[in-house]
Amino acid sequence: MNAKFNLIVFLLALTLVNCKEKETFNDFKFAEKGISIVCEEENLKALINEAVFNFEDDITKFYCKEKPNLNSAYSQFIRNAISGRVKYEEIATPHTVKIFEALKKENSFWDAENEKSYLNYKSPFFNCISDRIQDQNLKTTLNALISTNSMSPKLFGSPLMSRSQNAVSDKYLAAYIAFDLYYAKLFSVNLSNVQEKPKPKVDFNKIPE
């Protein structure tokens, strides 16, 4: 009787732990931008879109401090990411860390055995974003790399750099960049010292354009 009771208590405790680990993310800062990427079940759509819009906000504030320009931010980020010169711990914010912690719990997104990237190139999520990229040349190249098991951020980086501006309007391409070149890289970054970035100082002597 005691053994049966102990088993029930253990199973209840295990269920509670699992529920806690799968706690729904609800700290949304970019909800007003809507849902542009529709690839997963309803409870993950908002998180995925939050992750992409947060990524765009991070790189814009880091690379374009004087004058926000998402196109320029993408160009600089991709170039630095492909060459291994991105300072992730300096770009990320506490909100980025919260999003990353939530994304890490979605095991299907990631592949710990992939030496080229932690992103799971065989997941339904990745298949969705790769199938919906608008640029046909990029889509063809990406699918060819996937089909031959030779996909890597570096190999796909060259054609991507020449079309970085497409990510501004194509949020599926933006999702690829955000997940493979940003969030997947955070697994190898010490995020314990990430702090809020100081707001840029306003120069009251500068005439607005």
Side-chain angles (χ1 to χ4, degrees):
M1 185 70 178
N2 287 336
K4 185 176 181 180
F5 176 77
N6 290 336
L7 178 60
I8 293 173
V9 171
F10 172 76
L11 292 175
L12 286 173
L14 185 62
T15 302
L16 289 173
V17 169
N18 289 334
C19 288
K20 188 174 182 180
E21 288 180 353
K22 280 287 185 179
E23 187 174 322
T24 304
F25 179 88
N26 56 16
D27 185 12
F28 296 100
K29 290 188 176 181
F30 304 95
E32 76 282 355
K33 291 183 176 289
I35 300 295
S36 299
I37 303 148
V38 184
C39 281
E40 290 288 325
E41 57 266 27
E42 196 64 36
N43 66 318
L44 283 178
K45 287 178 185 176
L47 175 60
I48 290 169
N49 282 268
E50 181 78 5
V52 173
F53 290 125
N54 175 77
F55 159 70
E56 292 185 336
D57 188 64
D58 282 354
I59 62 173
T60 301
K61 288 178 177 176
F62 185 80
Y63 290 107
C64 305
K65 294 180 176 68
E66 295 295 324
K67 184 179 180 181
N69 185 320
L70 185 55
N71 192 355
S72 176
Y74 263 116
S75 177
Q76 294 183 68
F77 172 79
I78 293 172
R79 184 170 62 251
N80 287 327
I82 299 307
S83 60
R85 292 186 286 112
V86 174
K87 299 178 180 179
Y88 293 96
E89 67 280 2
E90 295 182 15
I91 299 177
T93 65
H95 190 59
T96 306
V97 177
K98 288 182 182 179
I99 293 172
F100 178 56
E101 290 300 322
L103 291 174
K104 282 199 300 185
K105 297 174 184 176
E106 302 305 324
N107 294 331
S108 65
F109 287 1
W110 315 109
D111 181 2
E113 297 181 0
N114 184 354
E115 297 178 355
K116 299 173 183 177
S117 170
Y118 280 114
L119 189 62
N120 184 359
Y121 295 141
K122 298 179 180 179
S123 69
F125 168 66
F126 186 85
N127 289 337
C128 174
I129 59 177
S130 62
D131 285 343
R132 299 187 185 189
I133 289 175
Q134 295 172 9
D135 188 300
Q136 292 301 315
N137 290 326
L138 278 180
K139 183 191 291 187
T140 299
T141 301
L142 180 58
N143 289 332
L145 290 170
I146 294 295
S147 64
T148 56
N149 292 319
S150 54
M151 173 60 186
S152 73
K154 191 170 184 178
L155 281 179
F156 190 55
S158 295
L160 182 61
M161 278 193 288
S162 64
R163 292 177 170 84
S164 62
Q165 71 278 1
N166 292 358
V168 176
S169 58
D170 183 354
K171 292 308 169 193
Y172 289 95
L173 179 59
Y176 163 74
I177 298 168
F179 276 78
D180 205 14
L181 302 184
Y182 192 54
Y183 291 107
K185 299 296 184 182
L186 298 185
F187 281 97
S188 305
V189 176
N190 181 3
L191 300 173
S192 61
N193 295 322
V194 170
Q195 299 178 352
E196 288 289 357
K197 307 300 184 285
K199 293 183 179 180
K201 295 180 179 179
V202 178
D203 186 353
F204 293 100
N205 296 317
K206 186 176 181 180
I207 301 174
E209 296 182 3

